[in-house]
Amino acid sequence: MVAWWLLKGRAGGGNSHFITGGFNYQQTKGLVNVKLKWVKDRVLDSVVAGGRELRAVSLLVSIIASNPQCCVPLYHFSRCRGQLGLPQNTKISTFTRKYPSIFEEVHLPNNGGTRVPWFRLTPQALSLHQEEVRVVEACQMGLVDRLRKLLMLTKDRTLPLQTIDQLKWDLGLPFDYMNSLILQYPELFSVVSLPDNRFGLKLLVWDDGFAVSQLEKNALVQGREGDGRNGTLAFSIGFTRGFGLKRKCMEWLEEWQKLPYTSPYTDSSHLDPRTDVSEKRIVGVFHELLHLTIQKKTERKNVSNLRKPLDLPQKFTKVFERHPGIFYISKKCDTQTVVLREAYDRHRLIEKHPLTDIRERYASLMEKGFVDRSRGLYKKNKCEGLEEDPLERISGGELSGFQYEGESDDYRYSEYESDKTMDNSC
């Protein structure tokens, strides 16, 4: 369905490389309520595959490593069940035993004398975690800058801690980011109470040097400064092989690329949310947000509750479907993951963060343990040496510090303000 719109607006201020005056723009072609077909991209699906379990393993490793004894009882994991992101029908005990190259299981008596499973890290996993800690320390300022830019995208420079928790894996923030990052920079961040009685993180200092989007930086690198000054920056476009656009869609896309670009760091209250100029701004917001993630991807549900903080209209995540040349929606792992196409050369991430290498090594270690377990190489080891295990020397007083909670289904971090019914097909 083709509609004809007359678009009027003015570019947002705040950056010298934007148009400082107003402009009148007549759009000759516009698409209303168009849903372009979804075409499976096996290469980008492979980028997403295994990501959910890798994230869960990384969180469990951090929990175990943060314990003074580097060993925790199984029921202790239930406290973070919601953050693991595992399917509801997956037991944590089943999941941890799936990767014996990461987690070693031992059985210790509780206060009643019943032997219960505890988990510690294998030497390989512990060594890899220690290396990860060193990488995070080396990249600390870069991670702080990512968090600052994320908060600068919001209208009040504030986000609920729950929302940051959902994004911390994608941003590369450590498990204990509140203590290891936030509290170390009181001049930059403040924990505040929100109107809904939740706690949020507020950025105290605005830095114009950070208020430059990746699209603008790319234009400078590519020598397209003129486009930036004219405010008509275009996004990099690529499609899955076999994807065909109808002629009217191609004409609309070509003109849409020439529409004025509004930086995600500038005020957009003057834009009419019904126009394609506003939609280009929304695309720019998520283009920038995905660039802030270390692997240029995130689950769709992680951004579905950002509507109010980012000052976006209803059903804003429809832009992922309307712009398949910029974003790819993978339906692997019973969820929807949004991938920034331009960040990948087939399955290879073009700009790799040091943490990406650590995660790839975790994935290799997980795969090795899974394969060895399927061959029965861990059966004998599981039954041997438990009586002599040094963890047997843990006193009952130390054991009593944990209260049994069972495997809870309390998904504290899984609630979000969805604007679309989830399609769980793979």
Side-chain angles (χ1 to χ4, degrees), residues 338-382:
V338 183
V339 183
L340 187 62
R341 285 188 180 274
E342 69 179 52
Y344 285 86
D345 179 9
R346 293 187 59 78
H347 65 275
R348 183 181 66 86
L349 191 60
I350 296 175
E351 296 183 6
K352 295 181 65 174
H353 190 277
L355 281 175
T356 304
D357 177 64
I358 297 292
R359 293 180 178 182
E360 290 175 351
R361 290 164 62 186
Y362 268 120
S364 297
L365 191 58
M366 290 166 60
E367 181 179 8
K368 180 180 184 303
F370 180 77
V371 172
D372 289 348
R373 177 177 178 272
S374 65
R375 295 173 178 172
L377 299 183
Y378 285 92
K379 289 182 179 179
K380 183 177 180 181
N381 292 337
K382 182 178 179 181

Side-chain angles (χ1 to χ4, degrees), residues 383-401:
C383 300
E384 288 184 349
L386 294 183
E387 295 301 327
E388 294 76 27
D389 196 291
L391 285 171
E392 291 281 11
R393 295 193 295 269
I394 297 178
S395 67
E398 290 172 313
L399 283 172
S400 64

Side-chain angles (χ1 to χ4, degrees), residues 404-421:
Y404 179 75
E405 299 180 8
E407 292 198 1
S408 171
D409 290 329
D410 177 20
Y411 286 77
R412 294 181 299 157
Y413 298 94
S414 62
E415 297 179 359
Y416 59 94
E417 186 179 316
S418 177
D419 63 340
K420 183 179 186 300
T421 301

